[in-house]
Amino acid sequence: MNYSTKTGVAAGLFWLVCGTAQAQQLAPNLQLSGFGSMGVNHASNDSGFFKDTEQGLNFKSDSLVGLKFDFTVNEKAEASIQLLSKGANDWSADVEWAYLGYAIAPELKLRAGKLRLPLFVYSDYLDSRFSLPWVRPPQEVYSVIPTSGYTGAELNYENRIAELQFTAQVYTGEATPDNLVTGASSELSELRGTTLSLAGEYLTLRASYARANIQLGIGDEGVIPAGQYEGSA
């Protein structure tokens, strides 16, 4: 029996070379932490079967470096900013999040600023590759949403129920996705959503819902409505 393969099908191999995280106390109320990971991938051709992968060895698309500053204002208030530099973006540094937080009660916290959109289980850890069970998050899930962050506010409640950890989040704001539509700027306005989770030692149950209005800026036509985004996970 004879078998044949077509060279038009891309073959790829991904593996993580290294990942690390460190923290340093710069002052009594200021802590600096950093993390980084270096990855390499290889594809047999340029068919684009794997996202951000070119023919041959590529050391940039899965490598990144991040710095995070945490400032404790007092027992209830804090501020945090994280800078991220990705090889896929030619190592340009971007502010991934920057927010002010306030503990209304031990179980209830308010945060406002530039935040991570909490749609999926690992949304808060997408850039901390060493915290993930994969080299890359599943692109069929995590690449469906055109943005990973938003500017707005969230209310977070956490409490124990018997042996389980219950968490509830409600949030609202706006976002500016990249490359939602080729040749047009885009904006998600009136973004609002909620996330509920119940976690035990061996099982986590989680549900999330989000909704936003989509607006596109196309040339001289200005900003035009383009419908609504509605999703759940």
Side-chain angles (χ1 to χ4, degrees):
M1 183 177 294
N2 295 324
Y3 293 91
S4 63
T5 58
K6 296 182 179 179
T7 57
V9 177
L13 176 64
F14 296 84
W15 69 93
L16 187 65
V17 176
C18 65
T20 184
Q22 298 290 333
Q24 180 68 41
Q25 197 74 30
L26 300 181
N29 294 337
L30 179 62
Q31 178 174 284
L32 168 65
S33 57
F35 60 91
S37 63
M38 185 178 74
V40 59
N41 60 62
H42 176 270
S44 61
N45 56 54
D46 287 326
S47 66
F49 184 76
F50 291 110
K51 184 180 179 182
D52 299 326
T53 302
E54 301 173 353
Q55 186 173 1
L57 290 175
N58 186 331
F59 290 87
K60 293 178 64 176
S61 61
D62 288 292
S63 300
L64 55 85
V65 176
L67 288 176
K68 184 169 178 282
F69 297 87
D70 294 303
F71 180 72
T72 303
V73 180
N74 53 44
E75 293 181 354
K76 292 189 174 184
E78 63 177 0
S80 180
I81 181 171
Q82 179 172 294
L83 305 176
L84 187 67
S85 179
K86 294 183 177 181
N89 297 333
D90 293 325
W91 300 108
S92 62
D94 299 310
V95 178
E96 191 67 15
W97 71 47
Y99 65 83
L100 296 174
Y102 184 79
I104 301 173
E107 303 86 6
L108 186 63
K109 295 182 180 180
L110 174 67
R111 297 196 302 177
K114 187 174 183 180
L115 302 162
R116 186 56 69 92
L117 196 59
L119 285 176
F120 304 112
V121 173
Y122 290 101
S123 291
D124 286 344
Y125 311 104
L126 286 179
D127 301 315
S128 302
R129 300 292 174 85
F130 51 87
S131 301
L132 301 177
W134 323 278
V135 174
R136 281 186 180 183
Q139 300 300 296
E140 298 84 355
V141 176
Y142 287 85
S143 292
V144 172
I145 308 301
T147 182
S148 61
Y150 73 103
T151 301
E154 72 172 27
L155 197 60
N156 187 72
Y157 175 81
E158 294 185 10
N159 206 349
R160 299 286 297 182
I161 300 178
E163 298 299 321
L164 303 176
Q165 180 71 23
F166 173 73
T167 302
Q169 287 177 286
V170 291
Y171 55 91
T172 183
E174 59 185 22
T176 305
D178 294 326
N179 303 320
L180 181 61
V181 176
T182 302
S185 61
S186 55
E187 179 180 333
L188 299 180
S189 62
E190 298 184 32
L191 171 66
R192 61 273 194 196
T194 184
T195 297
L196 303 173
S197 69
L198 194 63
E201 184 176 359
Y202 303 107
L203 177 67
T204 297
L205 301 177
R206 192 176 191 276
S208 65
Y209 173 83
R211 185 172 183 175
N213 294 326
I214 302 175
Q215 295 177 314
L216 299 177
I218 305 176
D220 297 331
E221 298 182 15
V223 178
I224 60 174
Q228 285 189 334
Y229 164 80
E230 185 171 5
S232 60

